[in-house]
């Protein structure tokens, strides 16, 4: 196989690079070792569009965070994914911590964050009544927002595919060998010859970088665990509530999600195994206690699932973005821990422009900037829904009762490019299985639809990667 640019990693960063690169007259290929895009850290995070006040002034984290946050609303309209500007609040519980809160505020102002305000405890409680009684001051960031991380990643992937980018899944990069004009990339699906490599491999970006460079990177996986609560609890708070940031990051937060659930977490623990995403009773207890320190009476009895994600913490502490010093045509997007989800659109746009310049490529005349989401009858008015179902009857057959997801939506999730090939792929595209019963009811029917659409046997239907088949025999 041969291409101009090979992107390694189909997370939010790789898909963003693919989207912006697909606007240029360049052959773009993206590979991922998993069966679908959005299968790494991009699927398990707090889903916050950070305003950008806490990353250090002058860092790449702050630069791309603020730029990404400014792009996100417009992008959500262009690519039709859920986004809501709900604002975030940083709580300062004690008078002695006021200088630290003011430092965060000033850091944000210096970096150009808009809509920052210092509030007294009473002012904060007037707009967020459930806050802890023990409160001295708060910082309000009006530009803080929430987003659907799957929606964002998949929308960028679909838009890239619509512009001709090729996605190859189940394709692990095993080695990279420098050539005179480019790289020979050895993968589980054969060799790929490319002029440019983009390293967007998440927690494995150090391993990919170290295949070509003598300036070694070292990434530690820093695990964060969460509790997700039912939609019944979704309006317990309206803003995203943080405590003052500490040495391990932004700490535990409490936030509504764009789909109306309530989220509490994450913890922060360094782990040796970069595949270790189990949740643990001790960590969940720790986050319960910390979240309860921020917001009163959180209805934890409404927890419907727990999950965890791995931050790609690079030793240097900042994002590593740009062309590698000792490997021409090799571009890193490494160490992309939080606020990487927020920063991804800005990183993608920046790297695409740099790569186009490197290859001397211009923009396409007929590029497609817009993408439409899969129609969702549960969000339509009764009249619109009736009309839509009359012409598309499969959208009237409800498969996932909790989220109100129809057969038509599931079939379209599989038919799109890149489409769902697993239960998790369907779940992340249309939320079938994301609700209160956590796929207890809709699993068999979704499996049947996957088997029909993909032309495979029921025993081959997987939860996610190969080896996660759900049944052994019919
Ligand atoms: C607990 C937690 C909370 C967070 N909260 C927020 C937040 O609220 N807001 C925010 O802005 N950011 C947040 N982040 C950060 C954000 O989620 C990440 O920065 C972002 O998702 C990273 O995206 P990525 O594309 O770099 O990595 P990933 O999504 O991990 O994608 C990397 C991809 O590379 C693939 N890959 C790896 N090795 C290979 C190989 N050898 N061959 C082929 N493919 C390979 C993987 O399979 C994976 O799909 C949080 C992160 C965590 C863990």
């Amino acid at each position: 196989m041969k291409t101009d640019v090979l992107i390694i990693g189909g997370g939010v960063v790789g898909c963003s690079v693919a989207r912006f690169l697909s606007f240029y007259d360049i052959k773009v290929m993206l590979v991922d070792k998993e069966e679908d895009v959005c299968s790494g850290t991009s699927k398990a995070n707090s889903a916050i569009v950070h305003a950008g006040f806490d990353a250090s002034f002058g860092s790449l984290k702050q630069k791309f965070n603020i730029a990404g946050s400014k792009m996100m609303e417009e992008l959500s309209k262009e690519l039709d994914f859920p986004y809501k500007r709900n604002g975030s609040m940083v709580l300062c519980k004690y008078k002695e911590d006021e200088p630290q809160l003011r430092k965060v505020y000033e850091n944000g102002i210096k970096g150009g964050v808009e809509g920052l305000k210092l509030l007294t405890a009473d002012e904060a409680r007037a707009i967020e009544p459930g806050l802890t009684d023990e409160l001295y001051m708060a910082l309000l960031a009006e530009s803080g927002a929430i987003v659907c991380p799957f929606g964002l990643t998949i929308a960028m992937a679909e838009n890239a595919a619509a512009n001709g980018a090729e996605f190859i899944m189940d394709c692990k990069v095993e080695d990279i060998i420098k050539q005179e004009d480019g790289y020979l990339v050895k993968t589980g699906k054969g060799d790929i010859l490319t002029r440019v490599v983009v390293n967007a491999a998440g927690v494995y970006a150090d391993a990919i970088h170290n295949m070509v460079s003598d300036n070694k990177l070292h990434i530690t996986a820093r695990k964060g665990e969460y509790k997700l609560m039912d939609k019944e609890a979704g309006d317990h708070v309206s803003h995203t509530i943080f405590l003052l940031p500490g040495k391990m990051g932004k700490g535990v937060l409490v936030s509504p999600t764009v789909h109306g659930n309530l989220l509490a977490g994450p913890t922060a623990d360094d782990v040796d195994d970069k595949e270790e995403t189990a949740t643990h009773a001790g960590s969940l207890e720790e986050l319960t206690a910390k979240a309860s320190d921020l917001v009163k009476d959180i209805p934890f009895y409404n927890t419907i699932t727990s999950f965890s994600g791995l931050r790609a913490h690079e030793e240097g502490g900042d994002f590593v973005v740009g062309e590698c010093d000792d490997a021409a045509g090799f571009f890193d997007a490494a160490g992309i821990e939080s606020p990487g989800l927020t920063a991804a659109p800005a990183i993608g746009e920046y790297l695409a422009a740099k790569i186009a310049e490197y290859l001397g490529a211009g923009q396409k005349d007929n590029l497609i900037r817009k993408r439409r989401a899969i129609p969702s009858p549960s969000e339509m008015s009764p009249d619109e829904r009736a009309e839509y179902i009359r012409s598309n009857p499969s959208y009237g057959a409800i498969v996932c009762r909790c989220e109100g997801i129809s057969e038509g939506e599931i079939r379209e999730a599989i038919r799109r490019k890149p489409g769902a090939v697993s239960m998790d792929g369907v779940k992340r595209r249309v939320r079938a299985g994301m609700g209160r019963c956590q796929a207890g009811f809709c699993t068999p029917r979704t499996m049947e639809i996957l088997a029909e659409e993909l032309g495979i046997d029921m025993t081959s239907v997987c939860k996610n990667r190969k080896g996660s088949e759900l049944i052994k025999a019919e």
Side-chain angles (χ1 to χ4, degrees):
M1 289 180 278
K2 215 172 158 185
T3 185
D4 293 325
V5 182
L6 181 73
I7 301 165
I8 304 169
V12 68
V13 175
C15 291
S16 174
V17 177
R19 190 238 178 190
F20 285 102
L21 263 181
S22 74
F23 292 174
Y24 293 92
D25 238 329
I26 293 173
K27 186 168 163 50
V28 179
M29 204 180 260
L30 182 149
V31 294
D32 198 292
K33 65 183 174 60
E34 302 299 332
E35 90 291 353
D36 196 1
V37 296
C38 202
S39 294
T41 302
S42 303
K43 77 169 195 283
N45 50 63
S46 310
I48 310 301
V49 180
H50 291 293
F53 47 76
D54 63 338
S56 339
F57 179 71
S59 63
L60 288 183
K61 275 186 183 171
Q62 192 187 47
K63 171 183 151 180
F64 287 117
N65 179 347
I66 295 173
S69 159
K70 284 185 179 158
M71 288 167 78
M72 202 64 86
E73 187 164 11
E74 188 53 38
L75 196 64
S76 74
K77 289 180 191 146
E78 211 162 51
L79 297 180
D80 203 9
F81 59 81
Y83 163 92
K84 186 178 175 190
R85 188 169 288 198
N86 65 326
S88 31
M89 249 190 220
V90 181
L91 307 191
C92 168
K93 294 180 70 171
Y94 310 108
K95 189 173 177 1
E96 59 265 32
D97 292 332
E98 184 183 340
Q100 204 196 330
L101 185 76
R102 287 193 179 274
K103 238 165 100 178
V104 174
Y105 169 75
E106 275 147 26
N107 187 55
I109 297 287
K110 228 163 70 179
V113 180
E114 287 159 14
L116 286 181
K117 285 181 186 156
L118 286 168
L119 306 180
T120 63
D122 285 346
E123 284 168 340
R125 270 199 215 93
I127 54 171
E128 193 62 82
L131 297 179
T132 168
D133 288 332
E134 226 172 357
L135 183 64
Y136 179 67
M137 273 180 89
L139 171 65
L140 173 69
E142 287 171 340
S143 60
I146 46 180
V147 67
C148 173
F150 326 115
L152 164 63
T153 308
I154 291 164
M156 292 197 289
E158 284 183 9
N159 188 224
N163 282 308
E166 191 181 344
F167 287 75
I168 307 176
M169 299 292 118
D170 291 316
C171 183
K172 183 175 177 183
V173 170
E174 285 151 4
D175 202 2
I176 306 176
I177 300 152
K178 276 186 193 169
Q179 309 287 292
E180 206 164 293
D181 177 26
Y183 295 88
L184 180 72
V185 181
K186 302 235 157 232
T187 80
K189 286 197 168 165
D191 292 353
I192 304 172
L193 203 53
T194 181
R195 292 172 68 196
V196 167
V197 172
V198 178
N199 171 20
V203 286
Y204 294 101
D206 53 349
I208 298 291
H209 170 97
N210 296 345
M211 288 174 186
V212 302
S213 173
D214 289 333
N215 307 325
K216 303 297 180 197
L217 294 181
H218 183 254
I219 289 174
T220 304
R222 183 166 288 170
K223 184 155 77 161
E225 300 187 26
Y226 292 91
K227 280 185 174 180
L228 183 75
M229 280 155 271
D230 187 62
K231 288 181 176 174
E232 218 172 74
D235 57 4
H236 197 72
V237 289
S238 59
H239 297 78
T240 301
I241 314 296
F242 300 94
L243 196 57
L244 273 169
K247 152 168 142 320
M248 293 289 267
K250 288 177 271 291
V252 166
L253 59 84
V254 180
S255 181
T257 72
V258 276
H259 298 289
N261 297 81
L262 185 71
L263 184 69
T267 50
D269 295 296
D270 291 349
V271 291
D272 294 331
D273 180 356
K274 291 183 176 179
E275 298 290 319
E276 212 278 90
T277 53
T279 55
H280 300 272
S283 310
L284 296 176
E285 273 169 30
E286 178 196 324
L287 85 82
T288 304
K290 286 187 174 163
S292 307
D293 242 14
L294 298 175
V295 175
K296 290 190 282 192
D297 306 323
I298 299 173
F300 281 111
Y301 54 85
N302 259 325
T303 299
I304 56 172
T305 189
S306 62
F307 65 92
S308 81
L310 300 175
R311 305 169 183 89
H313 178 69
E314 211 286 310
E315 239 165 34
D318 200 2
F319 291 167
V320 180
V321 178
E323 192 175 2
C324 191
D325 286 343
D326 58 348
F330 185 97
F331 290 80
D332 279 309
I336 312 296
E337 57 184 334
S338 190
L341 188 72
T342 313
I347 296 175
E349 190 177 45
Y350 171 83
L351 282 181
K354 288 275 168 213
I355 293 164
E357 190 186 321
Y358 178 84
L359 293 174
Q363 285 220 344
K364 284 177 183 156
D365 297 330
N366 54 348
L367 64 89
I368 303 165
R369 292 192 79 96
K370 286 198 168 179
R371 166 263 184 196
R372 298 274 53 97
I374 295 171
S376 166
S378 63
E379 286 166 19
M380 296 175 189
S381 71
D383 285 350
E384 272 173 352
R385 188 184 314 147
E387 183 54 38
Y388 194 79
I389 292 170
R390 248 192 299 280
S391 29
N392 303 277
S394 68
Y395 280 75
I398 296 300
V399 175
C400 167
R401 291 185 188 179
C402 303
E403 296 290 309
I405 308 302
S406 64
E407 181 186 327
E409 288 160 83
I410 296 173
R411 289 195 188 276
E412 186 160 348
I414 302 164
R415 288 175 191 170
R416 288 215 169 179
K417 292 213 177 347
V421 293
S422 63
M423 297 294 284
D424 283 355
V426 168
K427 182 167 84 171
R428 290 197 284 268
R429 282 171 179 78
V430 290
R431 296 185 58 75
M434 283 261 188
R436 182 177 285 178
C437 89
Q438 288 288 295
F441 176 77
C442 60
T443 292
R445 184 68 191 122
T446 306
M447 287 177 70
E448 279 172 1
I449 299 171
L450 266 165
E452 274 170 35
E453 288 288 331
L454 300 174
I456 57 173
D457 199 85
M458 282 283 274
T459 53
S460 302
V461 175
C462 286
K463 174 162 165 46
N464 39 60
R465 62 172 72 145
K466 281 204 177 65
S468 65
E469 290 78 6
L470 287 125
I471 54 173
K472 291 279 173 216
E474 287 196 47

